[in-house]
Every structure is written in C-alpha cells, then in structure tokens.
C-alpha cells in the first residue's frame, strides 16, 4: 500500500505535472469507511442483546428462587411424602420455563415484524433466516434452563424436617 501511492503520484506527474493529487485512499479504506456505521450499529445491537439476555436470566433466576423460597414448606411436604428429587427439580424447572416459553413465542412474533425494519443492518443473512431463529431460541432455552435449574436443584435438596419446622 505504501509503495503504490508514491508510484501513482509519479505516474500522474509524468503524464501532466500541473495536476494536483491529494486525498489518495485505498479501496480497503473506502470499503472500511462504507461499513463503519453498519459495524457500529451491529456491535451496539450485540452488546444490548447480551445485556438483555443477562438481565432476563438474572430476573428469571430471581423469580424462581423467590418462588422456591415461598414454597419451601410445600416442597418439604412433597419430599417427606416420597417425591423424588428429580420430580421436585422437574416441577420447579417446568414452572420456571413456562414464562420463558411465552416470551419466546411473543419474541418470535415480534421478530417477524421487527426484522423487516432491521433488514438493512443484517449482513450475510436474510431477515427470516431459520438458522438464526433456531440459534436464538436455543440460546434462550438454555439460559432459561440454567437460570431455573439452580434454584430447582436447591429446592430438591430441602430437608423435609427443616422445611416443616420453618413455619
């Protein structure tokens, strides 16, 4: 790159010394400049999406943990009556995943309409790309599963005697 610009200046000066040459840029610089705003908006959208996913996971964890703490007596009675730890864990995870599934359905509907507006920011994919939708839904399901599994495992380890004595 650095050798091309002086050579171009020399060739133009050989053809017509009265021509002034300034602001020479390479094609890589032109392409980088053209993509700069798209790259900025994409990076910003990625950061906000990551923060939103983190806040959703923390919120879901908090709601499920609070629900488990409120239902400690019920869970202790279930365990005392013979419920297996897997059954208790499954019950809590199902009840925690339900709002996430509702959010996924609402999000897919909203993405159907919102993706057309954001279509100009997408590079290399279409707004109805099934692989992207499956990846996003899978990520949300995994995050929701982890956010509900932690309090669910804690609920399954509640000793029935302490749960019954708590109130």
């Amino acid at each position: 790159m650095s050798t091309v610009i002086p050579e171009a200046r020399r060739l133009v000066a050989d053809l017509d010394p009265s021509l002034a040459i300034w602001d020479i840029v390479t094609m890589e610089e032109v392409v980088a400049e053209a993509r700069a705003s798209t790259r900025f908006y994409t990076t910003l959208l990625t950061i906000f999406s990551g923060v939103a996913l983190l806040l959703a996971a923390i919120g879901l964890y908090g709601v499920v943990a609070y629900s488990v703490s409120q239902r400690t007596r019920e869970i202790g009675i279930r365990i005392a009556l013979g419920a297996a730890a897997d059954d208790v864990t499954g019950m809590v995870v199902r009840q925690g995943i339900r709002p996430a599934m509702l959010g996924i359905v609402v999000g897919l509907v909203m993405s159907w309409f919102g993706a057309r507006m954001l279509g100009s920011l997408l590079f290399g994919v279409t707004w109805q790309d099934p692989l992207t939708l499956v990846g996003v839904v899978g990520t949300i399901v995994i995050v929701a599963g982890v956010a509900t599994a932690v309090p669910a495992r804690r609920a399954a380890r509640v000793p029935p005697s302490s749960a019954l004595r708590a109130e």
Side-chain angles (χ1 to χ4, degrees):
M1 181 174 98
S2 61
T3 60
V4 173
I5 293 173
E7 183 66 24
R9 286 183 190 271
R10 190 188 60 75
L11 285 174
V12 170
D14 287 347
L15 292 174
D16 188 357
S18 65
L19 290 177
I21 300 175
W22 70 91
D23 199 24
I24 297 177
V25 293
T26 63
M27 195 58 173
E28 288 85 13
E29 292 170 343
V30 171
V31 170
E33 178 75 24
R35 290 186 177 170
S37 65
T38 303
R39 184 174 294 125
F40 171 74
Y41 290 128
T42 304
T43 302
L44 198 61
L45 191 61
T46 301
I47 290 169
F48 285 150
S49 299
V51 169
L53 185 64
L54 179 66
L55 288 174
I58 291 169
L60 185 59
Y61 170 80
V63 167
V64 173
Y66 179 74
S67 171
V68 166
S69 72
Q70 293 296 309
R71 299 172 57 196
T72 302
R73 185 173 171 97
E74 172 202 340
I75 292 169
I77 292 171
R78 286 178 186 265
I79 293 172
L81 292 175
D86 290 341
D87 294 335
V88 173
T89 302
M91 175 189 69
V92 173
V93 168
R94 277 191 303 278
Q95 290 172 348
I97 289 280
R98 202 171 296 138
M101 291 301 141
L102 178 65
I104 288 171
V105 170
V106 170
L108 285 173
V109 170
M110 290 177 66
S111 75
W112 181 260
F113 295 109
R116 291 182 195 168
M117 293 185 297
L118 296 175
S120 64
L121 296 176
L122 300 175
F123 184 75
V125 294
T126 62
W127 63 270
Q128 70 250 23
D129 184 36
L131 185 60
T132 301
L133 290 175
V134 168
V136 168
V137 168
T139 300
I140 293 171
V141 167
I142 289 170
V143 167
V146 169
T148 58
V150 173
R153 287 180 49 94
R154 193 175 311 132
R157 287 186 262 148
V158 169
S161 58
S162 67
L164 295 174
R165 272 185 279 163
E167 296 204 19

mmCIF file with all atom_site columns, all heavy atoms in Angstrom, residues 71-90:
data_model
loop_
_atom_site.group_PDB
_atom_site.id
_atom_site.type_symbol
_atom_site.label_atom_id
_atom_site.label_alt_id
_atom_site.label_comp_id
_atom_site.label_asym_id
_atom_site.label_entity_id
_atom_site.label_seq_id
_atom_site.pdbx_PDB_ins_code
_atom_site.Cartn_x
_atom_site.Cartn_y
_atom_site.Cartn_z
_atom_site.occupancy
_atom_site.B_iso_or_equiv
_atom_site.pdbx_formal_charge
_atom_site.auth_seq_id
_atom_site.auth_comp_id
_atom_site.auth_asym_id
_atom_site.auth_atom_id
_atom_site.pdbx_PDB_model_num
ATOM 1   N N   . ARG A 1 71 ? -42.241 -21.497 48.672 1.00 0.00 ? 71 ARG A N   1
ATOM 2   C CA  . ARG A 1 71 ? -42.872 -22.807 48.648 1.00 0.00 ? 71 ARG A CA  1
ATOM 3   C C   . ARG A 1 71 ? -42.036 -23.862 49.369 1.00 0.00 ? 71 ARG A C   1
ATOM 4   O O   . ARG A 1 71 ? -42.219 -25.058 49.151 1.00 0.00 ? 71 ARG A O   1
ATOM 5   C CB  . ARG A 1 71 ? -43.091 -23.234 47.198 1.00 0.00 ? 71 ARG A CB  1
ATOM 6   C CG  . ARG A 1 71 ? -43.997 -22.280 46.457 1.00 0.00 ? 71 ARG A CG  1
ATOM 7   C CD  . ARG A 1 71 ? -44.065 -22.577 44.996 1.00 0.00 ? 71 ARG A CD  1
ATOM 8   N NE  . ARG A 1 71 ? -44.508 -23.936 44.757 1.00 0.00 ? 71 ARG A NE  1
ATOM 9   C CZ  . ARG A 1 71 ? -44.366 -24.562 43.603 1.00 0.00 ? 71 ARG A CZ  1
ATOM 10  N NH1 . ARG A 1 71 ? -43.809 -23.961 42.585 1.00 0.00 ? 71 ARG A NH1 1
ATOM 11  N NH2 . ARG A 1 71 ? -44.801 -25.796 43.454 1.00 0.00 ? 71 ARG A NH2 1
ATOM 12  N N   . THR A 1 72 ? -41.145 -23.439 50.239 1.00 0.00 ? 72 THR A N   1
ATOM 13  C CA  . THR A 1 72 ? -40.266 -24.376 50.931 1.00 0.00 ? 72 THR A CA  1
ATOM 14  C C   . THR A 1 72 ? -41.064 -25.413 51.708 1.00 0.00 ? 72 THR A C   1
ATOM 15  O O   . THR A 1 72 ? -40.753 -26.611 51.669 1.00 0.00 ? 72 THR A O   1
ATOM 16  C CB  . THR A 1 72 ? -39.321 -23.619 51.886 1.00 0.00 ? 72 THR A CB  1
ATOM 17  O OG1 . THR A 1 72 ? -38.574 -22.677 51.126 1.00 0.00 ? 72 THR A OG1 1
ATOM 18  C CG2 . THR A 1 72 ? -38.381 -24.563 52.591 1.00 0.00 ? 72 THR A CG2 1
ATOM 19  N N   . ARG A 1 73 ? -42.101 -24.996 52.378 1.00 0.00 ? 73 ARG A N   1
ATOM 20  C CA  . ARG A 1 73 ? -42.925 -25.930 53.164 1.00 0.00 ? 73 ARG A CA  1
ATOM 21  C C   . ARG A 1 73 ? -43.597 -26.953 52.251 1.00 0.00 ? 73 ARG A C   1
ATOM 22  O O   . ARG A 1 73 ? -43.575 -28.153 52.534 1.00 0.00 ? 73 ARG A O   1
ATOM 23  C CB  . ARG A 1 73 ? -43.964 -25.153 53.962 1.00 0.00 ? 73 ARG A CB  1
ATOM 24  C CG  . ARG A 1 73 ? -44.781 -26.025 54.879 1.00 0.00 ? 73 ARG A CG  1
ATOM 25  C CD  . ARG A 1 73 ? -45.661 -25.137 55.757 1.00 0.00 ? 73 ARG A CD  1
ATOM 26  N NE  . ARG A 1 73 ? -46.608 -25.916 56.501 1.00 0.00 ? 73 ARG A NE  1
ATOM 27  C CZ  . ARG A 1 73 ? -46.433 -26.305 57.752 1.00 0.00 ? 73 ARG A CZ  1
ATOM 28  N NH1 . ARG A 1 73 ? -45.334 -25.964 58.392 1.00 0.00 ? 73 ARG A NH1 1
ATOM 29  N NH2 . ARG A 1 73 ? -47.351 -27.026 58.374 1.00 0.00 ? 73 ARG A NH2 1
ATOM 30  N N   . GLU A 1 74 ? -44.168 -26.486 51.153 1.00 0.00 ? 74 GLU A N   1
ATOM 31  C CA  . GLU A 1 74 ? -44.824 -27.402 50.206 1.00 0.00 ? 74 GLU A CA  1
ATOM 32  C C   . GLU A 1 74 ? -43.829 -28.408 49.635 1.00 0.00 ? 74 GLU A C   1
ATOM 33  O O   . GLU A 1 74 ? -44.103 -29.607 49.549 1.00 0.00 ? 74 GLU A O   1
ATOM 34  C CB  . GLU A 1 74 ? -45.458 -26.605 49.058 1.00 0.00 ? 74 GLU A CB  1
ATOM 35  C CG  . GLU A 1 74 ? -45.992 -27.471 47.935 1.00 0.00 ? 74 GLU A CG  1
ATOM 36  C CD  . GLU A 1 74 ? -46.131 -26.722 46.621 1.00 0.00 ? 74 GLU A CD  1
ATOM 37  O OE1 . GLU A 1 74 ? -46.190 -25.488 46.623 1.00 0.00 ? 74 GLU A OE1 1
ATOM 38  O OE2 . GLU A 1 74 ? -46.172 -27.416 45.582 1.00 0.00 ? 74 GLU A OE2 1
ATOM 39  N N   . ILE A 1 75 ? -42.662 -27.919 49.262 1.00 0.00 ? 75 ILE A N   1
ATOM 40  C CA  . ILE A 1 75 ? -41.640 -28.800 48.690 1.00 0.00 ? 75 ILE A CA  1
ATOM 41  C C   . ILE A 1 75 ? -41.168 -29.799 49.742 1.00 0.00 ? 75 ILE A C   1
ATOM 42  O O   . ILE A 1 75 ? -40.977 -30.987 49.453 1.00 0.00 ? 75 ILE A O   1
ATOM 43  C CB  . ILE A 1 75 ? -40.474 -27.965 48.127 1.00 0.00 ? 75 ILE A CB  1
ATOM 44  C CG1 . ILE A 1 75 ? -40.961 -27.166 46.900 1.00 0.00 ? 75 ILE A CG1 1
ATOM 45  C CG2 . ILE A 1 75 ? -39.300 -28.837 47.755 1.00 0.00 ? 75 ILE A CG2 1
ATOM 46  C CD1 . ILE A 1 75 ? -40.003 -26.122 46.402 1.00 0.00 ? 75 ILE A CD1 1
ATOM 47  N N   . GLY A 1 76 ? -41.012 -29.350 50.992 1.00 0.00 ? 76 GLY A N   1
ATOM 48  C CA  . GLY A 1 76 ? -40.625 -30.259 52.073 1.00 0.00 ? 76 GLY A CA  1
ATOM 49  C C   . GLY A 1 76 ? -41.657 -31.345 52.292 1.00 0.00 ? 76 GLY A C   1
ATOM 50  O O   . GLY A 1 76 ? -41.309 -32.503 52.523 1.00 0.00 ? 76 GLY A O   1
ATOM 51  N N   . ILE A 1 77 ? -42.943 -30.988 52.226 1.00 0.00 ? 77 ILE A N   1
ATOM 52  C CA  . ILE A 1 77 ? -44.004 -31.981 52.380 1.00 0.00 ? 77 ILE A CA  1
ATOM 53  C C   . ILE A 1 77 ? -43.969 -32.980 51.232 1.00 0.00 ? 77 ILE A C   1
ATOM 54  O O   . ILE A 1 77 ? -44.107 -34.196 51.442 1.00 0.00 ? 77 ILE A O   1
ATOM 55  C CB  . ILE A 1 77 ? -45.379 -31.298 52.484 1.00 0.00 ? 77 ILE A CB  1
ATOM 56  C CG1 . ILE A 1 77 ? -45.470 -30.523 53.805 1.00 0.00 ? 77 ILE A CG1 1
ATOM 57  C CG2 . ILE A 1 77 ? -46.512 -32.293 52.368 1.00 0.00 ? 77 ILE A CG2 1
ATOM 58  C CD1 . ILE A 1 77 ? -46.688 -29.634 53.915 1.00 0.00 ? 77 ILE A CD1 1
ATOM 59  N N   . ARG A 1 78 ? -43.764 -32.485 50.022 1.00 0.00 ? 78 ARG A N   1
ATOM 60  C CA  . ARG A 1 78 ? -43.678 -33.392 48.864 1.00 0.00 ? 78 ARG A CA  1
ATOM 61  C C   . ARG A 1 78 ? -42.532 -34.394 49.037 1.00 0.00 ? 78 ARG A C   1
ATOM 62  O O   . ARG A 1 78 ? -42.683 -35.578 48.756 1.00 0.00 ? 78 ARG A O   1
ATOM 63  C CB  . ARG A 1 78 ? -43.480 -32.599 47.575 1.00 0.00 ? 78 ARG A CB  1
ATOM 64  C CG  . ARG A 1 78 ? -44.707 -31.880 47.093 1.00 0.00 ? 78 ARG A CG  1
ATOM 65  C CD  . ARG A 1 78 ? -44.374 -31.086 45.821 1.00 0.00 ? 78 ARG A CD  1
ATOM 66  N NE  . ARG A 1 78 ? -45.468 -30.268 45.405 1.00 0.00 ? 78 ARG A NE  1
ATOM 67  C CZ  . ARG A 1 78 ? -46.379 -30.624 44.504 1.00 0.00 ? 78 ARG A CZ  1
ATOM 68  N NH1 . ARG A 1 78 ? -46.301 -31.819 43.941 1.00 0.00 ? 78 ARG A NH1 1
ATOM 69  N NH2 . ARG A 1 78 ? -47.358 -29.815 44.171 1.00 0.00 ? 78 ARG A NH2 1
ATOM 70  N N   . ILE A 1 79 ? -41.387 -33.882 49.483 1.00 0.00 ? 79 ILE A N   1
ATOM 71  C CA  . ILE A 1 79 ? -40.232 -34.767 49.673 1.00 0.00 ? 79 ILE A CA  1
ATOM 72  C C   . ILE A 1 79 ? -40.512 -35.743 50.819 1.00 0.00 ? 79 ILE A C   1
ATOM 73  O O   . ILE A 1 79 ? -40.176 -36.933 50.734 1.00 0.00 ? 79 ILE A O   1
ATOM 74  C CB  . ILE A 1 79 ? -38.953 -33.942 49.920 1.00 0.00 ? 79 ILE A CB  1
ATOM 75  C CG1 . ILE A 1 79 ? -38.586 -33.167 48.651 1.00 0.00 ? 79 ILE A CG1 1
ATOM 76  C CG2 . ILE A 1 79 ? -37.799 -34.824 50.353 1.00 0.00 ? 79 ILE A CG2 1
ATOM 77  C CD1 . ILE A 1 79 ? -37.465 -32.168 48.819 1.00 0.00 ? 79 ILE A CD1 1
ATOM 78  N N   . ALA A 1 80 ? -41.153 -35.269 51.892 1.00 0.00 ? 80 ALA A N   1
ATOM 79  C CA  . ALA A 1 80 ? -41.462 -36.147 53.026 1.00 0.00 ? 80 ALA A CA  1
ATOM 80  C C   . ALA A 1 80 ? -42.443 -37.247 52.630 1.00 0.00 ? 80 ALA A C   1
ATOM 81  O O   . ALA A 1 80 ? -42.386 -38.360 53.162 1.00 0.00 ? 80 ALA A O   1
ATOM 82  C CB  . ALA A 1 80 ? -42.049 -35.322 54.179 1.00 0.00 ? 80 ALA A CB  1
ATOM 83  N N   . LEU A 1 81 ? -43.333 -36.942 51.690 1.00 0.00 ? 81 LEU A N   1
ATOM 84  C CA  . LEU A 1 81 ? -44.302 -37.944 51.237 1.00 0.00 ? 81 LEU A CA  1
ATOM 85  C C   . LEU A 1 81 ? -43.739 -38.876 50.169 1.00 0.00 ? 81 LEU A C   1
ATOM 86  O O   . LEU A 1 81 ? -44.448 -39.743 49.664 1.00 0.00 ? 81 LEU A O   1
ATOM 87  C CB  . LEU A 1 81 ? -45.561 -37.254 50.713 1.00 0.00 ? 81 LEU A CB  1
ATOM 88  C CG  . LEU A 1 81 ? -46.406 -36.537 51.772 1.00 0.00 ? 81 LEU A CG  1
ATOM 89  C CD1 . LEU A 1 81 ? -47.554 -35.799 51.121 1.00 0.00 ? 81 LEU A CD1 1
ATOM 90  C CD2 . LEU A 1 81 ? -46.912 -37.537 52.806 1.00 0.00 ? 81 LEU A CD2 1
ATOM 91  N N   . GLY A 1 82 ? -42.483 -38.678 49.798 1.00 0.00 ? 82 GLY A N   1
ATOM 92  C CA  . GLY A 1 82 ? -41.848 -39.630 48.892 1.00 0.00 ? 82 GLY A CA  1
ATOM 93  C C   . GLY A 1 82 ? -41.533 -39.115 47.505 1.00 0.00 ? 82 GLY A C   1
ATOM 94  O O   . GLY A 1 82 ? -41.146 -39.896 46.639 1.00 0.00 ? 82 GLY A O   1
ATOM 95  N N   . ALA A 1 83 ? -41.678 -37.838 47.254 1.00 0.00 ? 83 ALA A N   1
ATOM 96  C CA  . ALA A 1 83 ? -41.338 -37.317 45.928 1.00 0.00 ? 83 ALA A CA  1
ATOM 97  C C   . ALA A 1 83 ? -39.828 -37.403 45.718 1.00 0.00 ? 83 ALA A C   1
ATOM 98  O O   . ALA A 1 83 ? -39.044 -37.084 46.616 1.00 0.00 ? 83 ALA A O   1
ATOM 99  C CB  . ALA A 1 83 ? -41.803 -35.870 45.789 1.00 0.00 ? 83 ALA A CB  1
ATOM 100 N N   . ALA A 1 84 ? -39.450 -37.847 44.552 1.00 0.00 ? 84 ALA A N   1
ATOM 101 C CA  . ALA A 1 84 ? -38.026 -37.952 44.239 1.00 0.00 ? 84 ALA A CA  1
ATOM 102 C C   . ALA A 1 84 ? -37.461 -36.562 43.962 1.00 0.00 ? 84 ALA A C   1
ATOM 103 O O   . ALA A 1 84 ? -38.183 -35.642 43.580 1.00 0.00 ? 84 ALA A O   1
ATOM 104 C CB  . ALA A 1 84 ? -37.826 -38.850 43.020 1.00 0.00 ? 84 ALA A CB  1
ATOM 105 N N   . ALA A 1 85 ? -36.167 -36.435 44.153 1.00 0.00 ? 85 ALA A N   1
ATOM 106 C CA  . ALA A 1 85 ? -35.510 -35.149 43.920 1.00 0.00 ? 85 ALA A CA  1
ATOM 107 C C   . ALA A 1 85 ? -35.669 -34.719 42.460 1.00 0.00 ? 85 ALA A C   1
ATOM 108 O O   . ALA A 1 85 ? -35.856 -33.531 42.170 1.00 0.00 ? 85 ALA A O   1
ATOM 109 C CB  . ALA A 1 85 ? -34.034 -35.235 44.286 1.00 0.00 ? 85 ALA A CB  1
ATOM 110 N N   . ASP A 1 86 ? -35.641 -35.683 41.534 1.00 0.00 ? 86 ASP A N   1
ATOM 111 C CA  . ASP A 1 86 ? -35.822 -35.353 40.116 1.00 0.00 ? 86 ASP A CA  1
ATOM 112 C C   . ASP A 1 86 ? -37.220 -34.820 39.846 1.00 0.00 ? 86 ASP A C   1
ATOM 113 O O   . ASP A 1 86 ? -37.396 -33.932 39.002 1.00 0.00 ? 86 ASP A O   1
ATOM 114 C CB  . ASP A 1 86 ? -35.562 -36.587 39.242 1.00 0.00 ? 86 ASP A CB  1
ATOM 115 C CG  . ASP A 1 86 ? -34.100 -36.988 39.230 1.00 0.00 ? 86 ASP A CG  1
ATOM 116 O OD1 . ASP A 1 86 ? -33.253 -36.136 39.581 1.00 0.00 ? 86 ASP A OD1 1
ATOM 117 O OD2 . ASP A 1 86 ? -33.813 -38.142 38.866 1.00 0.00 ? 86 ASP A OD2 1
ATOM 118 N N   . ASP A 1 87 ? -38.218 -35.359 40.540 1.00 0.00 ? 87 ASP A N   1
ATOM 119 C CA  . ASP A 1 87 ? -39.585 -34.874 40.365 1.00 0.00 ? 87 ASP A CA  1
ATOM 120 C C   . ASP A 1 87 ? -39.726 -33.431 40.839 1.00 0.00 ? 87 ASP A C   1
ATOM 121 O O   . ASP A 1 87 ? -40.370 -32.606 40.181 1.00 0.00 ? 87 ASP A O   1
ATOM 122 C CB  . ASP A 1 87 ? -40.577 -35.758 41.122 1.00 0.00 ? 87 ASP A CB  1
ATOM 123 C CG  . ASP A 1 87 ? -40.642 -37.165 40.557 1.00 0.00 ? 87 ASP A CG  1
ATOM 124 O OD1 . ASP A 1 87 ? -40.320 -37.334 39.363 1.00 0.00 ? 87 ASP A OD1 1
ATOM 125 O OD2 . ASP A 1 87 ? -40.997 -38.098 41.318 1.00 0.00 ? 87 ASP A OD2 1
ATOM 126 N N   . VAL A 1 88 ? -39.127 -33.127 41.978 1.00 0.00 ? 88 VAL A N   1
ATOM 127 C CA  . VAL A 1 88 ? -39.192 -31.762 42.506 1.00 0.00 ? 88 VAL A CA  1
ATOM 128 C C   . VAL A 1 88 ? -38.439 -30.810 41.578 1.00 0.00 ? 88 VAL A C   1
ATOM 129 O O   . VAL A 1 88 ? -38.927 -29.729 41.251 1.00 0.00 ? 88 VAL A O   1
ATOM 130 C CB  . VAL A 1 88 ? -38.624 -31.706 43.948 1.00 0.00 ? 88 VAL A CB  1
ATOM 131 C CG1 . VAL A 1 88 ? -38.521 -30.271 44.436 1.00 0.00 ? 88 VAL A CG1 1
ATOM 132 C CG2 . VAL A 1 88 ? -39.483 -32.529 44.883 1.00 0.00 ? 88 VAL A CG2 1
ATOM 133 N N   . THR A 1 89 ? -37.265 -31.226 41.144 1.00 0.00 ? 89 THR A N   1
ATOM 134 C CA  . THR A 1 89 ? -36.493 -30.392 40.219 1.00 0.00 ? 89 THR A CA  1
ATOM 135 C C   . THR A 1 89 ? -37.272 -30.153 38.939 1.00 0.00 ? 89 THR A C   1
ATOM 136 O O   . THR A 1 89 ? -37.351 -29.020 38.452 1.00 0.00 ? 89 THR A O   1
ATOM 137 C CB  . THR A 1 89 ? -35.145 -31.061 39.891 1.00 0.00 ? 89 THR A CB  1
ATOM 138 O OG1 . THR A 1 89 ? -34.430 -31.283 41.099 1.00 0.00 ? 89 THR A OG1 1
ATOM 139 C CG2 . THR A 1 89 ? -34.318 -30.213 38.966 1.00 0.00 ? 89 THR A CG2 1
ATOM 140 N N   . GLY A 1 90 ? -37.861 -31.201 38.389 1.00 0.00 ? 90 GLY A N   1
ATOM 141 C CA  . GLY A 1 90 ? -38.645 -31.064 37.164 1.00 0.00 ? 90 GLY A CA  1
ATOM 142 C C   . GLY A 1 90 ? -39.835 -30.140 37.339 1.00 0.00 ? 90 GLY A C   1
ATOM 143 O O   . GLY A 1 90 ? -40.146 -29.334 36.451 1.00 0.00 ? 90 GLY A O   1
#
